[in-house]
Amino acid sequence: MLKHKTTCRVTYGDTDKMGYVYHANYFRWFEIGRSEMFRHLGIPYSSIESRGFFLPLSEIHCKFNAPSQYDDILLIETRLDPRIKAGMKFDYRIFSEDGKKLLASGYTKHACVDRDSRLVRPPKFLMDIISNNADAD
C-alpha cells in the first residue's frame, strides 16, 4: 500500500475564537497530504492535469478525535486505497508531531475525468508510478 507522511504547522489563521483549529482546515490538510504524496512520487498534480486528466472530489469524510492549536506541528499521513479501480480513494490520519496522538482521520474519493469531463479510469502512466512505489514507503 502506498503511504506518505508530511508535516504542516498550524497558523494563527487556522484557529477559531476558542483557539482551536477550525474544522474545515483538516480538509485543506488532506489536500496537502495528497499533493505532497504526488510530488514525492515525482508527479506533481499539475503534471497530471497537463496530460489531460483531472481528479475532482466526489466524497469527503473526517472524524475529529482531539483538537489542535496554534503553532502545533501536525503529521499528515496519506495512504492510497488500492481497492478502488474506477477512481482514487485516499485515507488520511493527522497526528500530533510525535505521531502518538491521533487528531483526525478521514478520506477523500476522487473521480478521474479527461479534458472533456468524461469519466475515465486513472491513466496508465499514473497507475504505473503508483505500482512502482507501492512498497517503497
Side-chain angles (χ1 to χ4, degrees), residues 5 11 24 38 55 58 62 65 80 94-95 104-106 113 117 121-122 130 135:
K5 293 180 182 179
T11 68
F38 281 132
L55 299 171
S58 62
C62 186
N65 297 308
L80 180 63
I94 299 179
F95 294 94
S105 60
V113 299
S117 298
R121 289 196 180 268
I130 290 167
D135 297 322

Side-chain angles (χ1 to χ4, degrees), residues 8-15 19-22 25-26 28-29 68-74 103:
C8 181
R9 183 180 298 275
V10 175
T11 68
Y12 189 78
D14 293 330
T15 62
Y20 295 110
V21 167
Y22 179 66
N25 287 304
Y26 289 91
R28 187 169 52 87
W29 294 327
S68 53
Q69 297 176 294
Y70 169 67
D71 219 28
D72 287 350
I73 302 287
L74 307 177
L103 305 173

